[in-house]
Amino acid sequence: MSALSELYKEIEECHRCEISKYRTKVVPGEGAENADIMFVGEAPGWHEDQQGRPFVGPAGQFLEQLLASINLRREQVYIANVIKCRPQGNRDPLPVEIHNCREWLGRQIELIRPKMIVTLGRYSMAMFFPGKSISRIHGTAQKRDNVIYYAMYHPAAALHQQSLRQAIEEDMLKIPSLLAQAQGMAEAKPQPQQLSMF
Ligand code: URA
């Protein structure tokens, strides 16, 4: 069993939060264990809770369309969420839930070691770009420790709001060149490097 599968078992047994009592299935995340790029959403919704898989409802269909626009399929990337259980009634995650779940995402990142992490929505952005505002930083990247962090709007928000939809579509199209830079950075020995999107 891979280290990631073992981690999934641990996550499945997690009952740190009240919401774990109400979940149908825990939603640890899924995708290529050696993915170069990881997408981090907010929390499972109804569909995800039913299936135990991230981004399988309408927001997931839109995410798959966005991935297709840059010639990627979901199997080629890794998809996770900030929290692994569905908040009842699809409410926003509570700070305590984000705190309790932080370890799982941290360990997923350690195991997958993605070269690029794309945050989807405010809650995910807040973990990697603390104190920033999504309307200001969406579509921009930051490099830290040879990983490129890139903020995008949440596909669910962008699905029905035309201005956000256009923004998320445009932001997605910037990913291939950033990813190529991230992949190049990993191959090259560490040296000062300018990224076009800072
Ligand atoms: N929204 C999220 O943030 N994550 C999912 O998995 C589904 C919808």
Side-chain angles (χ1 to χ4, degrees):
M1 187 185 277
S2 73
L4 198 56
S5 307
E6 282 179 19
L7 178 61
Y8 293 162
K9 290 197 102 170
E10 277 188 67
I11 298 174
E12 276 158 25
E13 283 160 17
C14 178
H15 290 284
R16 289 176 195 167
C17 303
E18 182 82 5
I19 49 172
S20 68
K21 287 191 203 154
Y22 306 105
R23 70 188 180 210
T24 312
K25 289 191 172 166
V26 73
V27 184
E30 69 176 25
E33 298 205 1
N34 61 351
D36 279 347
I37 180 164
M38 178 188 266
F39 289 82
V40 182
E42 181 177 312
W46 186 85
H47 295 276
E48 290 76 24
D49 174 73
Q50 293 292 307
Q51 296 187 36
R53 300 178 57 212
F55 281 97
V56 288
Q61 283 168 16
F62 185 37
L63 179 60
E64 287 182 20
Q65 278 176 32
L66 292 166
L67 288 172
S69 75
I70 56 167
N71 295 318
L72 282 177
R73 284 171 291 109
R74 62 183 290 150
E75 301 77 33
Q76 296 174 287
V77 306
Y78 193 84
I79 305 175
N81 282 305
V82 169
I83 69 168
K84 313 301 189 196
C85 295
R86 177 183 181 231
Q88 294 144 282
N90 286 352
R91 64 159 167 73
D92 289 342
L94 300 174
V96 66
E97 292 161 353
I98 295 172
H99 173 83
N100 288 345
C101 232
R102 215 183 166 96
E103 175 192 346
W104 305 131
L105 182 63
R107 286 174 60 190
Q108 284 173 307
I109 293 170
E110 273 171 27
L111 290 172
I112 294 158
R113 302 184 66 225
K115 300 182 173 80
M116 182 166 180
I117 294 181
V118 180
T119 66
L120 300 172
R122 283 180 301 132
Y123 287 90
S124 172
M125 179 205 66
M127 291 198 103
F128 300 95
F129 300 89
K132 301 285 186 207
S133 138
I134 190 138
S135 59
R136 282 178 185 267
I137 68 155
H138 75 88
T140 69
Q142 257 185 29
K143 187 181 88 172
R144 274 174 260 143
D145 300 329
N146 265 7
V147 176
I148 292 182
Y149 296 86
Y150 184 63
M152 288 179 51
Y153 282 114
H154 195 287
L159 197 51
H160 302 295
Q161 222 177 308
Q162 192 51 39
S163 60
L164 299 191
R165 189 182 177 117
Q166 198 179 337
I168 201 173
E169 286 171 351
E170 288 171 8
D171 291 347
M172 196 75 174
L173 296 178
K174 295 181 191 168
I175 287 182
S177 67
L178 284 166
L179 188 55
Q181 289 179 60
Q183 286 161 336
M185 268 165 17
E187 276 154 28
K189 285 274 165 256
Q191 52 184 289
Q193 192 159 359
Q194 278 287 311
L195 280 169
S196 58
M197 227 125 342
F198 291 159

